[in-house]
Amino acid sequence: MTSTVSSYDIFWKWSPAIVLAALVAFFTIINPNFLSLANFARMSIAATPALLVALGVTFIIIMGSIDLSMEGIVSTTAVVFGWLFLALGGRLAEGWAWVALPAAILTGAVFGYVNGLVHVKLSIPSFMSSLAMGFVGTGIAVLMTSGERIRIEDDVFRALLLERFFGFPLMAYVGLAAVLLAWFIQRKTTLGRNFYAVGGGEHLAHASGLNVRRVRVLGFTLAGMFYAAAALLAVARLGIAEANTGSNYMFVSITSVVVGGTTLLGGGGGVWNTVAGVLIVNVISNGMVVAGLPRYLQDGVLGLLVIIAVVLSTDRKSISFVK
């Protein structure tokens, strides 16, 4: 009996990797060009900003909360960066334009901090408070730009997209560094362990002396910093900062986290699950384009994927009522 349970656990632990390998094989059979360095490089460009957003969401979901503010935070930080970057000269290698980089990360941290405070201090459900803060962020971005685009044409900054190493853009390696940083926070820091403690049982964590509210606020602050880093990569990718920079990241990031196996109930999953989820979602998206499926079918497949992932990752027998 013990060996059966152990085999079952091992299967589910590696199931995202198995699914990813099966998808790559499937789309390669449909179109051999899918399995090419150029196509993988294109996928890395599309996936990297979404990966950083998903990493931030991962910490929130591990705590048993949900964050829907990422689109507003990404848009706001992108606009703050673009505005400040141009105001300070618009050249990363000259003058003080580099200050716009840490300023953008700080903006994301402040936004995330306020997001967490609204959630815990006002006792508002995280999905509602974060959704409201997302709208606030988008509104601020529109107000700052008046609906206009801020063009970033600095060659040094755009090198994140244009400079290649072994066929992959520099931003892909930035994404890898972000994954390692997120993994370090998750596994090697007290804060990372506290996320799991809160997600595994808030009342038990509180009874053991853990300041649950403080952990939640820090979690949202950390997520905001990852969203801001994603915003910088999104601007580098397009060369534009605008109020719509954060569009579509909500669905893609949360889908990736859930598909990777991080349970929405909290206390389980982690960074590598999210990496697998991001890869699965992007392989499916890219594979459907390569296969020539129309856009509306692509959206339908991704929506179905979310439902299947939630069904497989949630023990609904242990839940008396689905909220």
Side-chain angles (χ1 to χ4, degrees):
M1 183 67 179
T2 303
S3 60
T4 302
V5 174
S6 178
S7 299
Y8 179 83
D9 292 340
I10 292 175
F11 171 78
W12 282 110
K13 177 181 179 181
W14 290 100
S15 60
I18 296 172
V19 170
L20 178 61
L23 287 170
V24 170
F26 174 73
F27 286 119
T28 301
I29 293 173
I30 293 178
N31 189 335
N33 290 328
F34 178 85
L35 195 64
S36 65
L37 181 62
N39 191 45
F40 285 162
R42 283 193 294 269
M43 280 194 287
S44 71
I45 293 172
T48 302
L51 171 62
L52 266 68
V53 174
L55 290 173
V57 175
T58 300
F59 295 121
I60 304 300
I61 294 181
I62 287 175
M63 293 192 297
S65 297
I66 195 72
D67 189 359
L68 305 179
S69 67
M70 65 282 292
E71 293 188 356
I73 295 180
V74 168
S75 296
T76 301
T77 52
V79 169
V80 167
F81 165 76
W83 179 84
L84 190 58
F85 188 81
L86 293 184
L88 294 176
R91 289 289 180 268
L92 199 59
E94 302 173 9
W96 291 92
W98 62 269
V99 173
L101 296 173
I105 301 297
L106 179 61
T107 300
V110 171
F111 220 110
Y113 179 75
V114 173
N115 194 9
L117 281 182
V118 171
H119 166 45
V120 302
K121 293 294 185 181
L122 300 181
S123 298
I124 301 175
S126 57
F127 82 92
M128 185 57 68
S129 61
S130 61
L131 182 63
M133 290 299 296
F135 285 132
V136 170
T138 301
I140 292 174
V142 171
L143 183 64
M144 291 183 66
T145 61
S146 298
E148 300 294 328
R149 293 179 170 184
I150 302 174
R151 296 192 177 275
I152 306 297
E153 300 177 345
D154 178 43
D155 292 337
V156 177
F157 181 70
R158 294 299 308 284
L160 286 168
L161 171 69
L162 302 176
E163 190 71 28
R164 304 261 173 151
F165 294 96
F166 303 105
F168 288 90
L170 184 60
M171 64 190 304
Y173 298 97
V174 174
L176 177 60
V179 169
L180 295 177
L181 175 61
W183 174 84
F184 179 83
I185 293 172
Q186 171 195 301
R187 291 294 302 272
K188 303 297 182 179
T189 67
T190 301
L191 180 61
R193 291 188 290 271
N194 287 343
F195 290 153
Y196 284 97
V198 172
E202 183 173 337
H203 296 296
L204 182 61
H206 182 75
S208 65
L210 185 63
N211 189 334
V212 174
R213 290 192 167 194
R214 179 174 178 271
V215 171
R216 288 196 182 278
V217 171
L218 289 176
F220 279 93
T221 303
L222 180 62
M225 296 174 72
F226 275 93
Y227 301 160
L232 294 176
L233 294 183
V235 173
R237 175 189 172 194
L238 299 175
I240 294 172
E242 58 179 337
N244 291 326
T245 301
S247 296
N248 299 323
Y249 283 120
M250 181 192 300
F251 177 78
V252 172
S253 61
I254 295 179
T255 298
S256 299
V257 174
V258 175
V259 167
T262 297
T263 173
L264 290 172
L265 300 178
V271 168
W272 293 114
N273 295 82
T274 295
V275 172
V278 170
L279 292 176
I280 288 172
V281 169
N282 279 273
V283 163
I284 291 176
S285 298
N286 181 270
M288 289 189 294
V289 172
V290 170
L293 289 181
R295 180 67 187 181
Y296 68 90
L297 283 180
Q298 296 177 31
D299 293 339
V301 170
L302 288 177
L304 183 61
L305 180 65
V306 176
I307 297 174
I308 294 174
V310 173
V311 169
L312 294 178
S313 66
T314 304
D315 183 9
R316 291 168 308 287
K317 293 181 180 180
S318 64
I319 304 175
S320 58
F321 180 75
V322 179
K323 299 180 180 179

